Amino acid sequence: MAQVKNIPSVCLTADMWTSLTMESYLGVTCHYTDSNTELGSVVLGVSKFPKSHTADNIKEALSELISDWGLTGSVAAMVSAIQKLGLRHLPCFAHTINLIVKRAVEEHEVMADIRSRARKVVSYFRSSTNATEKLILAQERMGRQPLKLLQEVDTRWNSTHDMLQRLIDLREPVGAALASLSNDIMPLSSADFDIISESLEVLAPFKYATEELNGEKRVSASKIIPIIRMIQHKVAEKTALVRNASASSLGIALQQYINKRCSNVESIRVLALATLLDPRFKTFGFGNQDNAREAEQLLTAECASIIRLTSEHASQAEASSSQAAQNPPSSDDLWQLLDSRVSETQRHHSCNADATIEVKRYISDAYLPRSEDPLKYWQAHKEYPHLYTLARKYLAVTATSVPCERIFSKAVNLPEIAEETDAANFLEKWLVDVFEASTFQSPVITERAHRIRVIQAAREMGIVKYQEHKVMFFPDFSVAVRKQQKQFNDMKKRLQVMNIPYRFVYPAKLSFMHKGQRRICKTAGA
């Protein structure tokens, strides 16, 4: 909690997930820039959500979590499907891209048919041991390193791209394996592969954009506006080059859907300011220069507001220090009203002028190469002090809710491709490998057992890795545990007021330092 308590502005992402046993969970992550101008993130909570998934119920749970962490008034933006919290709301742009591509492919008669038949081919090989062995044998005979076919996942359009690309890569081995097996699977024809090949060319910009936006340790919200522009440009360019009529019509459909769904992206305040405050893009990131000028005016206004607030604090401090040395003004001072209005007008004009100068200087400064880190730029350019404050606020905003989804889809920071389509089965096998079978007295069933033992084993091991990926485990809080934690709400508020850091000791004991000693409370009255 201490790492976000003093952060003036944060961005939250939220997501709902339902397990294989139909238990619902709510996860929330927090993103910010720290005092060293580096991106940071923390999981605020992952808990069961037994209520119906109405906006009001989710709003209540999120509001409670925001309050528990002392973040009320600090949330710059919320990336989720919830718009009832009274916070600046952003849609998940990875989800937006997914909808654009899925809609275009599903409504394209030829591609929808090819995709359906491709899924059947992949399902056949993945469900038949004999077919899998034949495919491996066919690859080995061709002197290739054996690869598996990939099945798409409905919620990740990139998986459709990867499925079709893998079918192209294994076109000859798959054909040979199918020919040697007794089956009723209709293989993809040469014409089908021609359509797939050129369609993937048209779809490629969406894949690269999704991968670009999904990086957790990179500034992302500032990229949305320029990335949308680049997608539009590249799809139009590739559509003009393809020779296949089906691929060409798919490209045209993609252009129509992205124009429809993203036409107002440059008018979204948070995204416009993030783009302008990214020294790699500034005004060049905008397709419409009228929108760029409007964003510059918004930035100037916010900069002036910070200058004004700083000035007011300084004036109040100066007035307080000089009040003791001077007689207070007479309550019936004839000129008091006029003098105060003149002073306020001059201060307002001065703040606007200073803000305009600061913004203009920054805009005219040299652009940062696109490969460079914009946060390092701001750490080194504090000669723009008020814009630096705004950069920390807006460049911490994430473009997608993927960081939160990864709590569930990746479970513990495992690469998504590792889990494939059966995460539970993968984990049950992998946990035994990493922690050894002796850790568990019975076969591992991740959906209903061994969770505490897994947490304990991970703590004992220290650092757990899967293929060089550091793996993290989070405790699963039940409804009963959440109720136990909730009893400490009043105590947590008092500790926040007293500026005393606290944390939960698993699963529901409150721990904090008091007079140099660690106190652990099992109940709120302890």
Side-chain angles (χ1 to χ4, degrees), residues 278-306:
D278 192 320
R280 298 171 299 176
F281 307 129
K282 299 184 186 179
T283 57
F284 281 176
F286 294 80
N288 186 324
Q289 287 306 299
D290 288 338
N291 290 333
R293 283 188 286 273
E294 186 175 340
E296 189 173 334
Q297 291 172 3
L298 290 173
L299 183 61
T300 303
E302 288 214 22
C303 185
S305 179
I306 293 177

Coordinates of all heavy atoms in Angstrom, one line a residue, residues 278-306:
D278 N 3.6 13.0 -25.1 CA 4.7 12.1 -25.4 C 5.6 12.8 -26.4 O 5.2 13.1 -27.5 CB 4.0 10.8 -26.1 CG 5.0 9.7 -26.2 OD1 6.2 10.0 -26.6 OD2 4.6 8.5 -26.1
P279 N 6.8 13.0 -26.0 CA 7.8 13.8 -26.9 C 8.1 13.1 -28.2 O 8.7 13.7 -29.1 CB 9.0 14.0 -26.0 CG 8.9 12.8 -25.0 CD 7.5 12.6 -24.8
R280 N 7.7 11.8 -28.4 CA 7.9 11.1 -29.6 C 6.8 11.5 -30.7 O 7.0 11.4 -31.9 CB 7.8 9.6 -29.4 CG 8.9 9.1 -28.5 CD 8.7 7.6 -28.2 NE 7.4 7.4 -27.5 CZ 6.9 6.3 -27.1 NH1 7.6 5.2 -27.4 NH2 5.8 6.2 -26.5
F281 N 5.7 12.0 -30.2 CA 4.5 12.2 -31.1 C 4.1 13.7 -31.1 O 3.9 14.3 -32.2 CB 3.3 11.4 -30.7 CG 3.7 9.9 -30.5 CD1 3.3 9.2 -29.4 CD2 4.3 9.3 -31.6 CE1 3.6 7.8 -29.3 CE2 4.6 7.9 -31.5 CZ 4.3 7.2 -30.3
K282 N 3.8 14.3 -29.9 CA 3.3 15.7 -29.8 C 2.2 15.9 -30.8 O 1.3 15.1 -30.9 CB 4.5 16.7 -30.1 CG 5.6 16.6 -29.0 CD 6.6 17.6 -29.3 CE 7.8 17.4 -28.4 NZ 8.9 18.4 -28.6
T283 N 2.2 17.0 -31.6 CA 1.2 17.3 -32.6 C 1.2 16.4 -33.8 O 0.2 16.2 -34.5 CB 1.2 18.8 -33.0 OG1 2.5 19.0 -33.6 CG2 1.0 19.7 -31.8
F284 N 2.4 15.8 -34.1 CA 2.5 14.9 -35.3 C 1.7 13.6 -35.1 O 1.4 12.9 -36.1 CB 3.9 14.6 -35.6 CG 4.7 15.7 -36.3 CD1 6.0 15.6 -36.6 CD2 4.0 16.9 -36.7 CE1 6.7 16.6 -37.2 CE2 4.7 17.9 -37.3 CZ 6.1 17.8 -37.6
G285 N 1.4 13.3 -33.9 CA 0.6 12.1 -33.7 C -0.8 12.2 -34.1 O -1.5 11.1 -34.3
F286 N -1.3 13.4 -34.4 CA -2.7 13.6 -34.8 C -2.9 13.6 -36.3 O -2.1 14.1 -37.0 CB -3.3 14.9 -34.2 CG -3.3 14.9 -32.7 CD1 -2.2 15.2 -31.9 CD2 -4.5 14.7 -32.0 CE1 -2.3 15.2 -30.6 CE2 -4.6 14.8 -30.7 CZ -3.5 15.0 -29.9
G287 N -4.0 13.0 -36.7 CA -4.3 13.0 -38.1 C -5.0 14.3 -38.5 O -4.8 14.8 -39.6
N288 N -5.8 14.9 -37.6 CA -6.5 16.1 -37.8 C -5.8 17.2 -37.0 O -5.8 17.2 -35.8 CB -7.9 16.0 -37.4 CG -8.8 17.2 -37.8 OD1 -8.3 18.3 -37.7 ND2 -10.0 16.9 -38.1
Q289 N -5.2 18.2 -37.6 CA -4.5 19.2 -36.9 C -5.4 20.2 -36.1 O -4.9 20.8 -35.2 CB -3.6 20.0 -37.9 CG -2.4 19.3 -38.4 CD -1.5 18.7 -37.2 OE1 -1.0 19.5 -36.4 NE2 -1.4 17.4 -37.1
D290 N -6.7 20.2 -36.5 CA -7.6 20.9 -35.6 C -7.7 20.3 -34.3 O -7.8 20.9 -33.2 CB -9.0 21.0 -36.3 CG -9.1 21.9 -37.5 OD1 -8.2 22.8 -37.6 OD2 -10.0 21.7 -38.3
N291 N -7.7 18.9 -34.3 CA -7.8 18.2 -33.0 C -6.5 18.4 -32.2 O -6.5 18.5 -31.0 CB -8.0 16.7 -33.2 CG -9.4 16.4 -33.8 OD1 -10.3 17.1 -33.5 ND2 -9.5 15.3 -34.5
A292 N -5.4 18.5 -32.9 CA -4.1 18.8 -32.3 C -4.1 20.1 -31.6 O -3.6 20.3 -30.4 CB -2.9 18.7 -33.3
R293 N -4.6 21.2 -32.3 CA -4.7 22.5 -31.7 C -5.6 22.5 -30.5 O -5.3 23.2 -29.5 CB -5.2 23.5 -32.7 CG -4.1 23.9 -33.7 CD -4.5 25.0 -34.7 NE -5.5 24.6 -35.7 CZ -5.1 24.1 -36.8 NH1 -3.8 24.0 -37.2 NH2 -6.0 23.7 -37.7
E294 N -6.7 21.8 -30.6 CA -7.6 21.7 -29.4 C -7.0 21.0 -28.2 O -7.1 21.5 -27.1 CB -8.9 20.9 -29.8 CG -10.0 20.9 -28.7 CD -11.3 20.3 -29.2 OE1 -11.5 20.2 -30.4 OE2 -12.0 19.9 -28.3
A295 N -6.2 20.0 -28.5 CA -5.5 19.3 -27.4 C -4.4 20.2 -26.8 O -4.2 20.2 -25.6 CB -4.8 18.0 -28.0
E296 N -3.8 21.1 -27.6 CA -2.8 22.0 -27.1 C -3.5 23.0 -26.2 O -2.9 23.4 -25.1 CB -2.1 22.7 -28.3 CG -0.9 23.6 -27.8 CD -0.1 24.1 -29.0 OE1 -0.2 23.5 -30.1 OE2 0.5 25.1 -28.9
Q297 N -4.7 23.4 -26.5 CA -5.4 24.4 -25.7 C -5.8 23.7 -24.4 O -5.7 24.3 -23.3 CB -6.7 24.8 -26.4 CG -6.4 25.7 -27.6 CD -7.7 26.0 -28.5 OE1 -8.8 25.6 -28.1 NE2 -7.5 26.7 -29.6
L298 N -6.2 22.4 -24.4 CA -6.6 21.7 -23.2 C -5.3 21.6 -22.3 O -5.4 21.7 -21.1 CB -7.1 20.3 -23.5 CG -8.5 20.2 -24.2 CD1 -8.8 18.8 -24.6 CD2 -9.6 20.7 -23.2
L299 N -4.2 21.3 -22.9 CA -3.0 21.1 -22.2 C -2.6 22.4 -21.5 O -2.2 22.5 -20.3 CB -1.9 20.6 -23.1 CG -0.5 20.3 -22.4 CD1 -0.6 19.2 -21.4 CD2 0.5 19.9 -23.5
T300 N -2.7 23.5 -22.2 CA -2.4 24.9 -21.7 C -3.3 25.2 -20.5 O -2.8 25.7 -19.5 CB -2.5 25.9 -22.8 OG1 -1.7 25.6 -23.9 CG2 -2.1 27.3 -22.2
A301 N -4.6 24.9 -20.6 CA -5.5 25.1 -19.6 C -5.2 24.3 -18.3 O -5.2 24.8 -17.2 CB -6.9 24.8 -20.0
E302 N -4.8 23.0 -18.5 CA -4.4 22.2 -17.3 C -3.1 22.7 -16.7 O -3.0 22.7 -15.5 CB -4.3 20.7 -17.7 CG -5.7 20.1 -18.0 CD -5.7 18.6 -17.6 OE1 -4.9 18.2 -16.7 OE2 -6.6 17.9 -18.1
C303 N -2.2 23.1 -17.5 CA -0.9 23.6 -17.1 C -1.2 24.9 -16.3 O -0.6 25.1 -15.2 CB 0.0 23.9 -18.2 SG 1.7 24.4 -17.8
A304 N -2.0 25.8 -16.8 CA -2.4 27.1 -16.1 C -3.0 26.8 -14.7 O -2.8 27.5 -13.7 CB -3.3 27.9 -16.9
S305 N -3.9 25.7 -14.7 CA -4.5 25.4 -13.4 C -3.5 25.0 -12.4 O -3.7 25.3 -11.2 CB -5.5 24.2 -13.7 OG -6.2 23.8 -12.5
I306 N -2.5 24.2 -12.8 CA -1.5 23.8 -11.8 C -0.7 25.0 -11.3 O -0.4 25.2 -10.2 CB -0.5 22.8 -12.5 CG1 -1.3 21.5 -12.7 CG2 0.7 22.5 -11.5 CD1 -0.5 20.4 -13.4

